[in-house]
Amino acid sequence: LLSYFSNHSLSIARQLEAALTFADLQAAMRDMESLVTTLVTQGIKTPQLARLVQVLNTQLMARLWQMTATPAVFAGSSLLALGSEGRGEQILKTDQDNALILAEGLDDKEVEHSANLFTEHMLRLGFPPCPGGMMINQSLWRHTVDGWGRMLRQWAGSAQGEGLMHLTIFLDAEPVSGPAAWLAACRQALREAVRDDAAWFSRLALAIEQFPTRKVESGFWRQLLNREVRALLDIKKAGIFPVVHGVRVLALEVGVDVPNTFDRLEALTSRNILEKPLADDLAESLAFLMRLRLDAGLEMLRRGAPLSNEVDTASLSTLDKDLLQDALQVVRRFKRMVTQRYGLDRF
């Protein structure tokens, strides 16, 4: 397994490095999908697989950006991956979430043309458009370092809503190409923009209640225990998002810069923000929920169905049903902790 893992991932990395045409990138993408299927079958752990896919996807996007951007724009830009791609927690193709940091003095029309071309080719590779338009073909997600500083301060000044959502998405940014120091400068501007204000962090954390779990807590388990009933569960809303967002807010509050949720959990434990037993339970629960989403996604691909975050719990084994119940109980315990820390019951 280790030999297969290393040899095939290295082979794909070399394919991407040598790619000269869009067809070369498509061939490498197909090989990546085959590698994922094989490694899942062999039982590799989901977090490690997600990290591998992040490395390969980053290389693919960097190569595509080099192909689609003009030489001046490529040399004067840093492409960022946002969201689950930036955190290294996505395995199957997900919505495009990306941004650009630009050098001063670039031609706006040249930048716009390059960004549009990149987005179009990402669509052709099978990456769906972001429903919220968080892609580099939108001018909102293209700025210089100083421009990003102004934008982040504006978002941080938002009382609620879209501005705070955009801010949290930028927290998960990772560089794909270009100078990493530019993102570091943006992160410094973000830290300076964040208010040292308990009420502000409460508003930011409030999104953890965006998807109430009361339905899961009541009638859902009766359906879950009946294998004949098709009980669909949105695994992202029920479990993944509350963990990811709650940990993200805690990390921002104490100045943890790493974007990956598992790394954030380790950092929060080392700073005594989270007790180790809870952090360990959260890491195990998140890894399990990611694995359920991956298994369901691979089945959707096999059937030719569009990808979604829904898991058909009737198809789960008895063991997985028990583990799902345990994982969601950990999520609810964590949500209670976040609610108490930020006083969310006041809202």
Side-chain angles (χ1 to χ4, degrees):
L1 176 58
L2 288 171
S3 174
Y4 187 94
F5 182 96
S6 59
N7 290 336
H8 283 70
S9 57
L10 182 59
S11 172
I12 295 169
R14 286 173 175 163
Q15 276 181 266
L16 292 168
E17 186 178 351
L20 297 175
T21 66
F22 182 71
D24 294 336
L25 293 182
Q26 288 178 311
M29 175 63 77
R30 288 192 293 269
D31 288 345
M32 286 168 59
E33 292 170 349
S34 298
L35 176 64
V36 166
T37 302
T38 300
L39 293 177
V40 169
T41 303
Q42 295 293 332
I44 188 171
K45 290 185 177 180
T46 308
Q48 284 71 32
L49 181 56
R51 294 295 187 100
L52 169 65
V53 170
Q54 180 191 33
V55 170
L56 295 177
N57 275 347
T58 296
Q59 193 172 355
L60 180 142
M61 288 187 286
R63 195 69 175 139
L64 179 61
W65 180 233
Q66 187 175 16
M67 288 181 180
T68 53
T70 64
V73 171
F74 180 75
S77 64
S78 178
L79 178 64
L80 308 178
L82 309 176
S84 56
E85 192 70 60
R87 294 193 307 272
E89 295 165 15
Q90 185 64 41
I91 297 173
L92 301 179
K93 292 172 187 172
T94 185
D95 301 342
Q96 293 185 47
D97 291 320
N98 41 54
L100 278 177
I101 306 175
L102 302 169
E104 300 283 354
L106 290 176
D107 182 80
D108 289 342
K109 289 192 178 298
E110 199 174 335
V111 171
E112 183 179 9
H113 174 74
S114 299
N116 286 337
L117 206 56
F118 176 82
T119 301
E120 290 169 11
H121 281 75
M122 285 286 282
L123 289 170
R124 290 175 59 193
L125 283 171
F127 291 91
C130 173
M134 297 160 199
M135 302 177 291
I136 65 171
N137 67 337
Q138 304 296 314
S139 59
L140 180 64
W141 296 94
R142 303 191 305 259
H143 301 284
T144 63
V145 171
D146 287 344
W148 273 115
R150 290 190 294 272
M151 183 58 64
L152 291 168
R153 285 191 292 273
Q154 180 181 324
W155 288 343
S158 304
Q160 56 188 355
E162 194 175 70
L164 290 183
M165 179 185 69
H166 288 163
L167 185 74
T168 59
I169 289 167
F170 194 87
L171 286 171
D172 296 338
E174 270 290 279
V176 169
S177 69
W182 290 1
L183 177 58
C186 291
R187 284 201 170 118
Q188 179 61 34
L190 191 155
R191 282 192 294 271
E192 292 171 359
V194 168
R195 303 180 183 184
D196 186 14
D197 179 347
W200 186 86
F201 276 100
S202 295
R203 287 193 295 272
L204 190 67
L206 189 60
I208 201 173
E209 298 293 350
Q210 186 175 350
F211 308 114
T213 56
R214 289 189 180 88
K215 289 190 292 185
V216 175
E217 293 171 352
S218 56
F220 177 75
W221 293 115
R222 289 194 295 274
Q223 292 179 297
L224 183 64
L225 295 172
N226 184 350
R227 290 188 65 88
E228 304 303 319
V229 175
R230 189 167 183 261
L232 293 178
L233 176 68
D234 189 314
I235 206 77
K236 179 179 179 179
K237 292 180 180 179
I240 293 175
F241 176 78
V243 174
V244 167
H245 186 65
V247 170
R248 178 166 51 202
V249 175
L250 290 169
L252 177 63
E253 183 185 2
V254 298
V256 173
D257 277 341
V258 293
N260 179 267
T261 303
F262 297 97
D263 292 343
R264 284 169 171 166
L265 283 168
E266 288 186 13
L268 290 170
T269 303
S270 68
R271 300 188 186 199
N272 298 316
I273 303 301
L274 284 178
E275 295 181 354
K276 191 174 188 309
L278 176 58
D280 290 345
D281 286 348
L282 285 168
E284 290 181 12
S285 298
L286 179 59
F288 174 73
L289 295 171
M290 288 170 59
R291 197 263 290 173
L292 283 189
R293 181 171 66 173
L294 173 60
D295 289 346
L298 289 173
E299 176 60 22
M300 291 171 198
L301 290 177
R302 189 188 66 78
R303 292 188 282 107
L307 286 176
S308 75
N309 292 305
E310 289 188 331
V311 172
D312 182 4
T313 56
S315 65
L316 299 180
S317 66
T318 301
L319 175 60
D320 277 349
K321 286 184 177 183
D322 289 341
L323 291 173
L324 175 58
Q325 185 169 5
D326 290 344
L328 294 180
Q329 286 173 348
V330 171
V331 173
R332 291 197 294 276
R333 180 154 50 102
F334 177 60
K335 288 179 70 174
R336 285 196 297 271
M337 177 270 218
V338 172
T339 297
Q340 291 169 1
R341 182 181 181 91
Y342 295 109
L344 300 186
D345 50 0
R346 297 174 302 179
F347 290 87

